[in-house]
């Protein structure tokens, strides 16, 4: 198979095409982290007192963990120690304060988003996606705001939410992911500079997909955004998230937090296509994607569904989970994680069943190529009160070549005997016979690989909104660069 | 012109020489059957023609429709009109049969400079061929060969052949694992595909398939060489007498160095 391996490598080698840097002036604060920095960030954002207090509490907690060297070490990923004092925690494009319309947005940033194919302009209403775009640390534009406001839907940057809807923020911030949750969640709570906020009022079905686009541009900065979505009783929202970053030699830290709250009969569908810069073929550079995402099905019959396609980042450490508190609530996790070259991913989910008749579904598809290491780590916990809980877990790994690795770490904890648990797992390799079969039918080698991989991921792709699914399939093809080794 | 011309073909797998000098000429419209005992090199010949890389050609040449076959990649050979019905068709989970076939057909159309067919143009063609093979519409959206029975897989191979309309179709032990009804249906499909522009090479161990697909020529392969060629009646003779006598005969006349 030697020469077909080389052909796959030649044919699929494509460079990271989102790796450009935008030349804009930015405003930064000094590097490093201490209470002064926290105060500075809070002051820059003109935050109310309660936010500063909250940040400081988180900072002190994080500092105590850092002192105790309590950065989590259990994940199956390897990297040199991060110097937290050598990171710039806030960087913002310089712009006139108080943007009145999108026309005032820095043309360079607009061009960046156009290159990325994000419909920022209102006239692209037909795209049916409302976008909040976060550039480095701050949110630069939110489209369709007025249209959504007519329905009572709030969709804005986190900063704006803190300013205009402090009561909502106060009520829900940190209720799903408290600052004490983990090292990176504490760090995020202390320094997060912006993010997105959405509130869907009672009984409202959000008529369009809400979307956030994250872009790290500045060098030596970290990105720490925070997203909070609250779906009030009987409401529905579908939310999309995409991310890219320029090519840089050094590693950059991205430590985000996402909190979702679904009240009685509410539904949240959260989809991510994560394409942070993965580093080069030798494993230099790339984003450390250390992210905490969790949803709380607080109300009865509520449902939270996570779908993620993770193709980027040097290291991914991420476990979008659901706390199934309300009776009959439903949690879902559909994931495709691809690691190529020297990428590492330790990703999975946590399903915590508390309410009666709660159900969860986990479908995880890991693809390892090159020297990539891919771990599924999932926890399903059935608490005592969760009578009649059910979980179905399926985790499949696909190996391309013989230098990569796939690992599975399922944790199952059942405290109620009425629970039904199912766990299926498989590991397979793209075989020479499969490739030859498809080639004999006229398909080029790279199309054959891409077809097999797409077939493998189908169960997850069909959970994505249509446009995103097409995007994800293309991305997967591109990300298989240098695969098979 | 000859459709296929094989001259002095030697090939090895994993360092073992399997084909030891094959000469064979196939014209358009002909059906040739390659028969022979297990291990004689029948499948190796089929794989070499389909350009499988793990089968290495050490000597000889093959012209396919006047072009040098041995310089082609498998997909190029396929796009030039070479089709192989696999002895063990491969399962590809998650890929719908119709989607796969349209991708394959479009890859070939593109290669030949034709417009690609969209799903709406493709559907009538697909339905027509399903009918030809007495196949259910369920075959359209089922994952490629996944969970298919042995007979369904073989019929799916013939369906693919019917849609891709090759110049040369190689059927590699298509009869293996088929019951008599499935055999008849498959043979019907193959016969419907016979045309003055298309040649077929039917590789089989047993004569029974040749009751349904009557070949123009039968070649007997023993130890990597064609030791005897004849008409359809040669298959019947083999059925009656087995391969033993022909193997003995072949050993007596083979060069000692082999």
């Amino acid at each position: 198979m030697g020469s077909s391996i080389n052909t796959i490598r030649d044919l699929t080698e494509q460079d990271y095409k989102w790796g450009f840097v935008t030349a804009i002036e930015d405003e930064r604060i000094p590097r490093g982290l201490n209470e002064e920095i926290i105060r500075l960030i809070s002051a820059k954002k003109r935050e109310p007192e309660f936010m500063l207090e909250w940040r400081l509490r988180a900072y002190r907690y994080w500092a105590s963990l850092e002192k105790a060297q309590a950065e989590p070490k259990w994940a199956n990923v390897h990297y040199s120690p991060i110097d937290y004092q050598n990171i710039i925690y806030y960087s913002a494009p310089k712009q006139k304060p108080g943007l009145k319309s999108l026309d005032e947005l820095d043309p360079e940033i607009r061009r960046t988003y156009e290159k990325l194919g994000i419909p920022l302009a209102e006239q692209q209403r037909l795209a049916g996606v409302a976008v909040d775009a976060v550039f480095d640390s701050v949110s630069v534009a939110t489209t369709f705001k007025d249209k959504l406001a007519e329905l009572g839907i709030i969709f804005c940057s986190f900063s704006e939410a803190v300013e205009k809807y402090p009561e909502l923020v106060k009520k829900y911030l940190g209720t799903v992911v408290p600052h004490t949750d983990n090292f990176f969640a504490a760090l995020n709570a202390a320094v997060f500079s912006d993010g997105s906020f959405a509130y869907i009022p009672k009984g409202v079905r959000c008529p369009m997909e809400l979307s956030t686009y994250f872009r790290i541009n500045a060098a030596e900065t970290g990105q720490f955004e925070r997203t909070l979505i609250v779906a009030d009783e009987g409401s529905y929202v579908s939310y999309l998230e995409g991310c890219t970053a320029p090519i840089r030699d050094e590693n950059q830290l991205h430590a985000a937090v996402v909190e979702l709250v679904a009240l009685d009969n509410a539904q949240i569908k959260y989809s991510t296509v994560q394409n942070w810069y993965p580093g080069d073929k030798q494993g230099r550079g790339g984003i450390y994607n250390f992210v905490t995402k969790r949803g709380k099905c607080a109300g009865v019959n509520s449902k939270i569904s996570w779908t993620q396609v993770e193709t980027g980042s040097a290291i991914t450490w991420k476990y979008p989970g659901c706390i199934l508190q309300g009776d009959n609530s439903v949690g879902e996790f559909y994931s495709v994680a691809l690691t190529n070259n020297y990428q590492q991913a330790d990703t999975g989910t946590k399903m915590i069943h508390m309410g009666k008749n709660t159900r969860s579904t986990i479908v995880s598809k890991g693809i390892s190529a090159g020297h990539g290491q891919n771990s599924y780590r999932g926890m399903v916990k059935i608490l005592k009160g969760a009578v009649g809980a059910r979980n179905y877990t399926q985790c499949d790994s696909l190996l391309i070549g013989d230098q990569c690795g796939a690992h599975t770490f399922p944790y199952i904890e059942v405290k109620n005997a009425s629970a039904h648990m199912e766990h299926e797992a498989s590991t397979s390799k793209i075989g020479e016979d499969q490739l030859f079969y498809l080639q004999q039918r006229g398909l080029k080698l790279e199309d054959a690989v891409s077809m097999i991989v797409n077939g493998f991921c189908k169960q997850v792709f069909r959970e994505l909104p249509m446009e995103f699914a097409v995007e994800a399939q293309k991305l997967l093809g591109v990300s298989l660069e240098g695969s098979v080794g | 012109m000859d459709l296929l011309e094989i001259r002095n073909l030697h090939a090895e797998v994993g360092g073992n020489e399997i084909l030891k000098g094959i000469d064979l000429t196939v014209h358009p419209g002909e059906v040739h059957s390659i028969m022979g005992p297990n291990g004689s090199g029948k499948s190796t010949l089929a794989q070499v023609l389909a350009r499988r890389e793990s089968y290495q050609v050490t000597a000889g040449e093959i012209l396919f429709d006047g072009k040098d076959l041995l310089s082609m990649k498998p997909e190029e050979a396929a796009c030039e009109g070479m089709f192989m019905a696999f002895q063990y068709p491969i399962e590809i989970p998650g890929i719908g049969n119709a989607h796969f076939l349209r991708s394959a057909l479009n890859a070939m159309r593109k290669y030949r400079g034709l417009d690609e067919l969209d799903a709406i143009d493709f559907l009538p063609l697909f339905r027509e061929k399903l009918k030809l093979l007495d196949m259910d519409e369920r075959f359209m959206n089922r994952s490629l060969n996944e969970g298919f029975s042995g007979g369904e897989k073989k019929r799916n191979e013939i369906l693919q052949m019917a849609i891709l309309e090759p110049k040369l179709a190689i059927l590699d032990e298509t009869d293996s694992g088929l019951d008599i009804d499935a055999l008849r249906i498959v043979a019907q499909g193959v016969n419907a595909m016979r045309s003055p522009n298309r040649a077929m090479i039917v590789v089989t161990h047993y004569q029974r398939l040749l009751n349904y697909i009557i070949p123009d020529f039968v070649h007997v392969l023993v130890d990597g060489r064609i030791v005897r060629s004849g008409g359809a009646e040669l298959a019947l003779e083999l059925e009656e007498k087995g391969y033993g006598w022909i193997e003995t005969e072949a050993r007596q006349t083979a060069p000692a160095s082999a």
Side-chain angles (χ1 to χ4, degrees):
Chain A
M1 196 177 163
S3 76
S4 75
I5 291 165
N6 291 333
T7 325
I8 293 182
R9 189 174 294 139
D10 297 344
L11 290 174
T12 57
E13 289 225 342
Q14 291 190 51
D15 290 322
Y16 186 77
K17 64 173 178 181
W18 303 270
F20 55 86
V21 178
T22 308
I24 46 149
E25 270 192 86
D26 59 9
E27 182 194 1
R28 302 168 173 208
I29 60 171
R31 78 180 62 226
L33 190 53
N34 52 51
E35 288 208 9
E36 279 319 297
I37 294 283
I38 307 291
R39 286 175 200 281
L40 191 56
I41 292 172
S42 191
K44 280 206 173 292
K45 308 195 72 66
R46 291 188 292 264
E47 284 178 346
E49 193 59 26
F50 85 91
M51 281 302 301
L52 177 62
E53 286 305 315
W54 195 74
R55 286 177 183 279
L56 286 172
R57 261 203 312 279
Y59 170 71
R60 286 170 196 142
Y61 179 74
W62 177 81
S64 72
L65 290 181
E66 219 239 340
K67 207 169 162 193
Q69 296 181 314
E71 190 177 322
K73 295 279 191 287
W74 43 262
N76 186 26
V77 295
H78 306 276
Y79 54 94
S80 319
I82 297 171
D83 181 357
Y84 292 95
Q85 296 303 338
N86 197 30
I87 293 174
I88 296 164
Y89 287 87
Y90 183 86
S91 156
K94 266 191 189 154
Q95 60 184 30
K96 284 172 269 173
L99 235 51
K100 288 215 174 46
S101 81
L102 287 171
D103 301 334
E104 291 177 35
L105 187 62
D106 186 322
E108 278 297 321
I109 296 181
R110 279 188 81 155
R111 269 194 285 279
T112 298
Y113 284 118
E114 274 159 24
K115 267 193 218 174
L116 296 168
I118 305 164
L120 260 189
E122 291 268 5
Q123 62 261 33
Q124 283 177 289
R125 179 185 304 259
L126 282 176
V129 178
V131 178
D132 182 27
V134 178
F135 199 85
D136 287 337
S137 300
V138 296
S139 175
V140 286
T142 307
T143 58
F144 293 120
K145 210 186 285 183
D146 301 341
K147 182 96 185 108
L148 293 167
E150 284 168 27
L151 291 162
I153 295 170
I154 301 168
F155 179 44
C156 62
S157 72
F158 211 100
S159 312
E160 192 180 331
V162 170
E163 190 190 326
K164 291 192 182 154
Y165 316 99
E167 290 314 309
L168 276 175
V169 172
K170 219 175 190 170
K171 187 169 173 189
Y172 293 106
L173 177 68
T175 58
V176 187
V177 180
H179 70 268
T180 51
D181 190 80
N182 69 69
F183 185 86
F184 297 110
L187 180 62
N188 174 284
V191 304
F192 84 93
S193 30
D194 216 329
S196 297
F197 176 83
Y199 171 80
I200 321 298
K202 271 184 198 172
V204 170
R205 193 181 164 88
C206 185
M208 59 181 80
E209 324 259 33
L210 300 185
S211 171
T212 304
Y213 208 89
F214 296 107
R215 173 84 182 160
I216 298 178
N217 188 59
E220 302 180 291
T221 59
Q223 177 147 326
F224 307 91
E225 82 276 357
R226 200 167 178 108
T227 300
L228 174 59
I229 299 172
V230 179
D232 212 327
E233 292 172 21
S235 67
Y236 168 86
V237 62
S238 169
Y239 194 92
L240 319 175
E241 173 193 72
C243 6
T244 59
I247 294 174
R248 295 191 188 284
D249 290 340
E250 84 265 24
N251 296 108
Q252 283 182 287
L253 178 62
H254 170 250
V257 169
V258 175
E259 296 180 280
L260 311 180
V261 180
L263 301 181
D264 287 356
N265 303 303
Q267 268 192 48
I268 302 175
K269 186 173 169 60
Y270 195 103
S271 314
T272 303
V273 172
Q274 184 266 107
N275 186 28
W276 295 118
Y277 176 55
D280 68 12
K281 291 174 184 65
Q282 281 73 44
R284 278 186 305 251
I287 304 290
Y288 290 165
N289 189 36
F290 299 160
V291 170
T292 307
K293 294 183 171 185
R294 197 170 304 140
K296 191 198 265 181
C297 285
V300 296
N301 306 319
S302 55
K303 178 175 173 182
I304 290 179
S305 180
W306 298 98
T307 306
Q308 61 171 23
V309 176
E310 305 278 319
T311 59
S313 297
I315 301 179
T316 294
W317 179 99
K318 147 174 200 205
Y319 316 89
C322 298
I323 300 170
L324 303 170
Q325 193 177 50
D327 290 348
N328 309 317
S329 59
V330 176
E332 293 175 338
F333 174 75
Y334 297 95
S335 170
V336 166
L338 177 130
T339 51
N340 193 7
N341 297 319
Y342 286 88
Q343 282 177 277
Q344 307 173 57
D346 191 298
T347 184
T349 185
K350 263 185 190 178
M351 293 290 177
I352 315 291
H353 292 251
M354 296 169 72
K356 295 187 183 80
N357 302 316
T358 44
R359 281 168 292 149
S360 61
T361 302
I362 299 171
V363 176
S364 163
K365 303 279 182 175
I367 302 150
S368 319
H371 296 266
Q373 293 294 326
N374 209 320
S375 302
Y376 167 79
R377 189 181 301 276
M379 173 184 269
V380 181
K381 211 170 182 171
I382 311 284
L383 299 187
K384 223 170 180 159
V387 179
R390 297 183 85 102
N391 164 263
Y392 171 75
T393 299
Q394 181 189 343
C395 67
D396 299 322
S397 305
L398 184 68
L399 300 168
I400 306 178
D402 52 14
Q403 305 289 312
C404 55
H407 317 270
T408 307
F409 305 96
Y411 304 84
I412 297 172
E413 217 180 296
V414 180
K415 298 256 167 67
N416 186 306
S418 66
H420 285 256
M421 311 289 291
E422 279 179 80
H423 186 100
E424 285 179 23
S426 76
T427 302
S428 52
K429 243 182 121 156
I430 289 193
E432 186 264 351
D433 54 346
Q434 289 180 314
L435 293 173
F436 176 66
Y437 187 67
L438 297 180
Q439 284 177 282
Q440 211 300 306
R441 298 304 185 246
L443 298 178
K444 287 189 185 141
L445 196 54
E446 86 264 35
D447 296 334
V449 170
S450 163
M451 183 175 267
I452 292 168
V453 171
N454 276 310
F456 176 74
C457 300
K458 189 184 177 186
Q459 259 177 302
V460 174
F461 285 166
R462 70 175 174 217
E463 297 296 326
L464 287 172
M466 188 63 173
E467 274 175 80
F468 240 38
V470 173
E471 174 96 344
Q473 287 191 22
K474 282 190 204 146
L475 192 57
L476 216 57
V478 172
S479 303
L480 282 166
E481 151 192 343
S483 61
V484 186
Chain B
M1 195 175 56
D2 302 336
L3 179 61
L4 182 73
E5 184 152 9
I6 303 175
R7 289 188 207 126
N8 188 35
L9 180 68
H10 290 251
E12 57 177 46
V13 184
N16 297 323
E17 186 170 52
I18 308 289
L19 300 182
K20 302 172 181 173
I22 301 272
D23 291 281
L24 181 67
T25 303
V26 176
H27 299 101
E30 294 175 352
V31 173
H32 290 245
S33 176
I34 308 282
M35 299 185 69
N38 289 330
S40 60
K42 301 188 298 286
S43 276
T44 299
L45 178 60
Q47 303 280 345
V48 167
L49 289 174
R51 299 296 300 119
R52 192 164 197 155
E53 286 176 4
S54 43
Y55 291 74
Q56 294 199 317
V57 173
T58 50
E61 61 174 342
I62 305 176
L63 289 178
F64 178 49
D65 211 11
K67 293 176 187 159
D68 176 17
L69 180 73
L70 297 179
S71 68
M72 295 179 195
K73 291 180 187 155
E75 65 269 29
E76 286 166 346
C79 291
E80 290 288 343
M82 174 78 73
F83 178 91
M84 181 168 82
F86 282 58
Q87 181 175 6
Y88 303 107
I90 307 297
E91 301 189 3
I92 315 273
I95 294 300
N97 211 20
H99 169 73
F100 159 70
L101 266 170
R102 187 160 66 87
S103 305
L105 182 62
N106 280 336
M108 294 186 183
R109 290 180 65 94
K110 205 170 153 190
Y111 182 88
R112 295 167 194 162
L114 300 168
D115 286 342
E116 298 186 22
L117 293 183
D118 61 25
I120 294 167
D121 293 331
F122 179 70
L123 196 61
L125 174 70
F126 193 85
R127 288 218 165 103
E128 177 201 321
K129 305 295 182 184
L130 278 173
K131 222 170 146 190
L132 178 77
L133 284 161
D134 200 14
M135 283 168 79
D136 206 291
E137 293 221 351
R138 285 179 299 121
F139 275 90
M140 269 198 291
N141 296 317
R142 284 173 66 180
S143 280
L144 180 54
N145 291 330
E146 199 190 19
F148 283 28
S149 70
E152 285 174 333
K153 282 183 185 171
K154 294 295 173 77
R155 272 152 78 187
N156 205 28
E157 293 293 289
I158 305 305
L159 173 69
Q160 294 176 27
M161 172 171 93
I163 285 174
L164 300 176
E165 303 188 312
K167 289 182 201 151
L168 176 65
I170 303 159
L171 310 180
D172 188 8
E173 309 243 359
T174 293
D175 51 334
S176 69
L178 289 189
D179 62 34
I180 200 75
D181 292 330
L183 189 69
R184 196 175 291 132
I185 292 170
V186 165
Q188 240 166 37
V190 172
N191 285 329
M193 291 290 296
R194 286 177 85 150
S195 108
N197 308 317
R198 179 174 300 121
M200 296 187 187
I201 296 178
V202 181
V203 175
T204 182
H205 183 84
Y206 299 105
Q207 187 270 338
R208 64 171 193 163
L209 178 65
L210 304 180
N211 286 334
Y212 300 96
I213 305 172
I214 314 285
D216 301 304
F217 303 95
V218 174
H219 310 278
V220 184
L221 203 58
V222 173
D223 194 24
R225 289 186 192 84
I226 291 175
V227 296
R228 185 176 283 235
S229 296
E233 71 288 346
L234 179 57
L236 293 168
E237 195 180 344
L238 286 169
E239 175 76 356
E240 197 181 314
K241 303 204 295 206
Y243 286 110
W245 63 279
I246 218 164
E247 284 178 277
T248 317
E249 205 179 280
R251 261 196 296 279
Q252 282 159 1
T253 55
S257 64

